[in-house]
Amino acid sequence: TGELAARAATERVGSAGLAANLVNEVILGTGETLRQVSTRPALRDALRRRDGVALSEHLADLRLNSTTIANTSAFDGRGVLLQRDPPAAEFVGRDFSDRAYLRGAMASASWYVSNAYVSRMPAGVVLASVSFAVREGPELLGVLNTALEPSRLISALQPIGGIGGREILIMDSERQVVASSDPSRELASFVDLPALDRSPARSQGTFAARLRGAERIVTFAPIENSPW
């Protein structure tokens, strides 16, 4: 009936909004932790001295009690890796300035959330970064980076999407799959949703679309504090 259909639509919108809020809490918490750690005088001194050993403790603190952070890293102001947790000595000293998460952080006054990318370490894993540029006045001391493995978020979202046939899909601003409750969906793949592109920016809503050859009802909500 019309009443049941309206109730189902309301439930879908509420579920999408709740899932978006849960993901946002992870991003917000990660960004705030980065900001707080960046204020430590010892960390700032280690960045100035390019002291990877001294940076190790601070990078380990960023991962403390987190189940979604795959690794943390510190770069100098040019994008050269100074230290990483877990350690990856073979990458220390390499230039990562081509990475969007570094360029984004250096251009931002707050923390920066990247789109999905395929990691070099470990190779082939789809990650998304929350990065923060550490500054002393106009001087860029370096960049702190936390690499999230968004697929680890799916288990926490399963109670929301546990209804048979429903897929939870986290996408970035380029419509790349950041995470999915469907293990057969390829991460970092593109999802063609023209109706979503036509929707007002950062809006929430529902539309019908054809996905993988089947008609589906798509309900979407923006993830605040990110371009997702």
Side-chain angles (χ1 to χ4, degrees), residues 47-68:
L47 285 173
R48 285 192 185 92
R49 293 185 288 107
R50 300 171 54 82
D51 188 340
V53 174
L55 288 166
S56 298
E57 176 185 351
H58 306 288
L59 295 180
D61 286 347
L62 288 171
R63 289 209 310 145
L64 197 64
N65 301 322
S66 173
T67 60
T68 56

Side-chain angles (χ1 to χ4, degrees), residues 70-120:
N71 62 73
T72 58
S73 48
F75 300 84
D76 69 10
R78 297 173 299 160
V80 174
L81 180 65
L82 300 176
Q83 189 56 280
R84 180 183 180 272
D85 185 70
E90 67 273 25
F91 289 100
V92 172
R94 290 195 185 183
D95 184 354
F96 286 80
S97 59
D98 63 322
R99 284 299 195 175
Y101 58 77
L102 284 179
R103 296 196 305 270
M106 291 176 182
S108 176
S110 182
W111 64 76
Y112 174 81
V113 182
S114 78
N115 283 329
Y117 61 91
V118 179
S119 173
R120 297 178 191 174

Side-chain angles (χ1 to χ4, degrees), residues 5 10 15 44 60 78 95 108 123 125 150 159 172 184 189 193 203 210:
T10 300
S15 294
R44 289 170 172 261
R78 297 173 299 160
D95 184 354
S108 176
V125 177
D172 64 23
S184 70
S189 62
L193 292 171
S203 63
R210 195 166 187 81

Side-chain angles (χ1 to χ4, degrees), residues 31-204:
E32 278 297 317
T33 301
L34 278 169
R35 186 188 61 77
Q36 291 168 13
V37 170
S38 76
T39 64
R40 296 177 178 178
L43 176 133
R44 289 170 172 261
D45 182 60
L47 285 173
R48 285 192 185 92
R49 293 185 288 107
R50 300 171 54 82
D51 188 340
V53 174
L55 288 166
S56 298
E57 176 185 351
H58 306 288
L59 295 180
D61 286 347
L62 288 171
R63 289 209 310 145
L64 197 64
N65 301 322
S66 173
T67 60
T68 56
I69 295 177
N71 62 73
T72 58
S73 48
F75 300 84
D76 69 10
R78 297 173 299 160
V80 174
L81 180 65
L82 300 176
Q83 189 56 280
R84 180 183 180 272
D85 185 70
E90 67 273 25
F91 289 100
V92 172
R94 290 195 185 183
D95 184 354
F96 286 80
S97 59
D98 63 322
R99 284 299 195 175
Y101 58 77
L102 284 179
R103 296 196 305 270
M106 291 176 182
S108 176
S110 182
W111 64 76
Y112 174 81
V113 182
S114 78
N115 283 329
Y117 61 91
V118 179
S119 173
R120 297 178 191 174
M121 47 178 181
V125 177
V126 174
L127 303 174
S129 281
V130 183
S131 310
F132 188 82
V134 184
R135 294 183 172 87
E136 193 72 61
E139 181 187 3
L140 176 62
L141 302 180
V143 175
L144 298 178
N145 180 66
T146 54
L148 305 179
E149 190 170 348
S151 60
R152 298 181 185 180
L153 291 167
I154 291 300
S155 59
L157 300 177
Q158 285 293 6
I160 299 172
I163 299 173
R166 179 180 289 181
E167 177 186 6
I168 300 173
L169 194 59
I170 303 174
M171 296 185 299
D172 64 23
S173 65
E174 296 178 352
R175 303 292 179 260
Q176 294 181 110
V177 177
V178 177
S180 172
S181 60
D182 182 352
S184 70
R185 189 178 286 280
E186 182 181 356
L187 299 183
S189 62
F190 176 74
V191 180
D192 188 17
L193 292 171
L196 187 57
D197 295 328
R198 293 192 297 268
S199 300
R202 314 304 292 171
S203 63
Q204 183 172 354

Side-chain angles (χ1 to χ4, degrees), residues 18-39:
L18 178 58
N21 286 339
L22 289 174
V23 176
N24 179 58
E25 286 178 8
V26 172
I27 292 171
L28 186 61
T30 303
E32 278 297 317
T33 301
L34 278 169
R35 186 188 61 77
Q36 291 168 13
V37 170
S38 76
T39 64

